[in-house]
Amino acid sequence: MLCKFAVTNYRGFEQKIEWDLTKARDYAFNSFAINNKTIKNGIIYGPNGSGKSNFGLAIFDIVNHLSQKWKKPDYYVNFAYAGNQKSNVNFEYTFKFDDIILQYFYAKNSQGVLVSEKLIEDSNVVFDKDVGSFYIDEKTFPMDNKIQDSLADNANNVSILNFLITTYPLREDSSLLKLQKFANSMLWFRSLEEREFIGLQSNVYIIDEYIIKNNLIKDFSKFLNEVSEQKFDFAPPAPDAKQLICYIKGKPVLFNLVASTGTHSLTLLYFWYKQMENASFVFIDEFDAFYHFKLSQNICRKLFNLKCQLFLTSHNTLLLCNDLLRPDCNFLLDKNEIRALHDCTEKELREGHNIEKLYRGGTFSV
C-alpha cells in the first residue's frame, strides 16, 4: 500500500506538499476505509485551481519509469514549476508491503529525465544514485567496480531500480518486485472534455467493442440499472459487432447516440471497474463531474467496496458525510497543503456531526 507521498517543484506546487495516509484515527464506523492502519479510501476536495488534478498526476509519475503500461503522452509538458524550471522535481514515496517499509526517492529535471534515485528498505539503504556518485548494498547486490562506475556516470539515465529488477535474479517475495507490481497495477483516469488514463492497461480500447467481445452486455445493463436506475434494452450483438445497439420503443438505435453525457461517463467507469480487481492504487479525477448526487453516492459505495486503495476528487459536498466515509478519509487540498478533515479544525469530529454543514460554515481550513 501507499503510505506517504510528497512532491516538490511539480507543476503548481512550488513548495513541498506531503500526503500522509498513516494518520488513521480510532473511529469505530466505516472501518472498511482503513487497511492495516493505512487509509484505503478517500475523497479529496478543494477550490478550483488548488491542484487536485496535478496532485493525482504527481502520484503517478512513478508509472512513467517503472511500468510499461499506458502513459499520458503530454505528461512532461509543464512538468516543473513554471517559476523554477532550472530546479529538479523531487518525488518521495513510502510503501508498505506486508511488514516491509520501502522508501523510494528520486528527482527528475524539467524535461522528465531521471537525475537521482534512492531506495531504502526498513531503514537500510539499498542504493543511492546521484550525479556522478553511486552506492549500493553489495551484500544484497554484489557487482564489480566497473559496473558501479558505469552506473554512476551512465549517460542514458538508467533507473537503478529497473536495472536491478531486470538484471538480478530476485526471490519471489522481493520487495523490489512488489514495488514493480504495485506500479504496474496503478490506475489514474478522468472523463471531462476528453478521456485520459495512466497505467494498468497497455492498450487503448473501444469500450463498446470490449463489452461485446467479453459478453458483458447483460452485466453492463445491470450495472447501469443498479447505480443510476436507467434501463436499457440492448439488442443481441451481430457477428463482429463493434457498437452497442439498444431498442427504443422497439426500434434499434446506437447506444452512443441516445446515451447522455453522464451515461457515457458511467460507461467509461464500468470499463475501468471491470479492471480494478487487478489494480493496486486507483485515482479518479473529478469522478462525478456529470453525475446526479444520488448517483455519486451509489458509485462511491460500489468503488469503496473494492480491495484496492482508491481515491477520488470531487466538488460535491453532499459526499462529505459520515454515511460514506469518516473525517480521517476526507481531505482538503489548498494553499500547497493537503490534510484530512480532523487536522483542519480544533473541533472534535464525531459520527453524528453534519460534516457538510460544518464545511460550508467554514469550520475547516488547511
Side-chain angles (χ1 to χ4, degrees):
M1 295 185 74
L2 178 66
C3 297
K4 295 180 183 179
F5 171 75
V7 66
T8 307
N9 202 47
Y10 178 84
R11 298 197 174 196
F13 300 113
E14 179 182 9
Q15 305 299 323
K16 180 177 178 179
I17 179 170
E18 184 173 2
W19 195 24
D20 190 346
L21 297 173
T22 65
K23 291 186 175 181
R25 293 291 183 93
D26 57 352
Y27 295 110
F29 58 98
N30 291 338
S31 57
F32 67 84
I34 309 298
N35 183 7
N36 198 16
K37 300 181 180 180
T38 301
I39 296 170
K40 171 183 170 286
N41 300 124
I43 304 177
I44 301 173
Y45 302 86
N48 293 100
S50 59
K52 299 185 297 298
S53 297
N54 282 340
F55 188 70
L57 288 171
I59 296 170
F60 280 73
D61 185 89
I62 192 173
V63 176
N64 285 284
H65 67 275
L66 284 191
S67 173
Q68 298 303 312
K69 303 300 183 179
W70 188 264
K71 280 90 171 173
K72 196 170 180 291
D74 61 349
Y75 176 79
Y76 288 111
V77 177
N78 188 35
F79 180 62
Y81 176 67
N84 194 11
Q85 290 282 307
K86 293 183 178 180
S87 295
N88 294 327
V89 182
N90 296 289
F91 296 88
E92 305 174 26
Y93 297 82
T94 300
F95 299 95
K96 187 173 183 179
F97 301 121
D98 298 321
D99 294 325
I100 296 174
I101 299 295
L102 209 61
Q103 295 172 278
Y104 185 43
F105 308 91
Y106 63 85
K108 294 180 178 179
N109 64 21
S110 59
Q111 285 73 49
V113 177
L114 196 65
V115 294
S116 69
E117 195 178 11
K118 184 177 183 179
L119 184 70
I120 301 174
E121 181 178 323
D122 287 339
S123 302
N124 299 312
V125 177
V126 178
F127 66 81
D128 188 355
K129 164 71 170 64
D130 209 333
V131 179
S133 67
F134 177 68
Y135 163 82
I136 191 163
D137 178 4
E138 294 191 59
K139 291 182 179 179
T140 307
F141 296 103
M143 61 178 64
D144 61 39
N145 292 334
K146 288 184 178 180
I147 297 178
Q148 293 195 39
D149 291 343
S150 296
L151 290 174
D153 299 322
N154 73 86
N156 54 344
N157 303 98
V158 170
S159 164
I160 305 300
L161 183 52
N162 268 334
F163 172 79
L164 296 177
I165 289 172
T166 57
T167 304
Y168 276 82
L170 300 172
R171 292 167 54 94
E172 187 177 356
D173 61 352
S174 166
S175 58
L176 275 66
L177 291 178
K178 290 179 180 179
L179 176 53
Q180 182 193 48
K181 181 179 180 180
F182 189 95
N184 275 329
S185 304
M186 293 173 69
L187 170 66
W188 171 98
F189 74 94
R190 65 183 171 193
S191 177
L192 296 173
E193 292 88 354
E194 58 180 339
R195 296 176 175 183
E196 300 176 290
F197 76 96
I198 297 173
L200 196 59
Q201 286 291 341
S202 302
N203 301 307
V204 176
Y205 288 85
I206 298 172
I207 298 177
D208 280 28
E209 187 175 0
Y210 167 84
I211 292 173
I212 293 169
K213 283 189 173 182
N214 288 278
N215 298 314
L216 292 170
I217 294 178
K218 289 184 179 179
D219 187 68
F220 175 53
S221 178
K222 179 181 177 183
F223 173 84
L224 291 177
N225 189 31
E226 284 180 350
V227 299
S228 64
E229 298 182 354
Q230 296 183 88
K231 295 182 179 180
F232 285 93
D233 182 15
F234 288 102
D240 300 322
K242 295 184 178 180
Q243 290 184 290
L244 290 170
I245 294 176
C246 60
Y247 292 115
I248 304 295
K249 291 189 175 180
K251 295 182 178 181
V253 61
L254 288 175
F255 171 70
N256 284 329
L257 294 180
V258 296
S260 67
T261 302
T263 304
H264 279 299
S265 181
L266 272 179
T267 305
L268 177 68
L269 176 70
Y270 173 79
F271 170 78
W272 286 120
Y273 180 76
K274 301 304 289 186
Q275 319 296 314
M276 285 181 198
E277 64 180 21
N278 299 316
S280 57
F281 184 96
V282 177
F283 192 101
I284 311 177
D285 191 26
E286 299 285 7
F287 88 103
D288 59 346
F290 304 113
Y291 294 167
H292 184 270
F293 74 90
K294 287 185 179 179
L295 174 57
S296 297
Q297 292 174 339
N298 290 340
I299 291 297
C300 281
R301 291 188 176 96
K302 204 168 189 69
L303 292 176
F304 294 156
N305 196 42
L306 295 167
K307 293 182 180 180
C308 58
Q309 263 185 297
L310 188 145
F311 296 89
L312 314 166
T313 71
S314 179
H315 290 287
N316 183 358
T317 59
L318 287 169
L319 301 178
L320 264 174
C321 64
N322 288 330
D323 290 336
L324 278 178
L325 286 171
R326 29 192 270 179
D328 52 351
C329 297
N330 286 308
F331 298 88
L332 298 185
L333 194 159
D334 195 17
K335 300 173 185 176
N336 212 98
E337 290 190 57
I338 180 169
R339 294 183 183 177
L341 287 187
H342 63 72
D343 288 329
C344 296
T345 180
E346 294 182 357
K347 185 180 182 68
E348 182 182 355
L349 300 178
R350 300 176 181 174
E351 184 176 4
H353 279 137
N354 187 325
I355 303 297
E356 182 194 17
K357 184 177 180 180
L358 292 174
Y359 177 75
R360 289 178 176 267
T363 298
F364 306 109
S365 175
V366 296

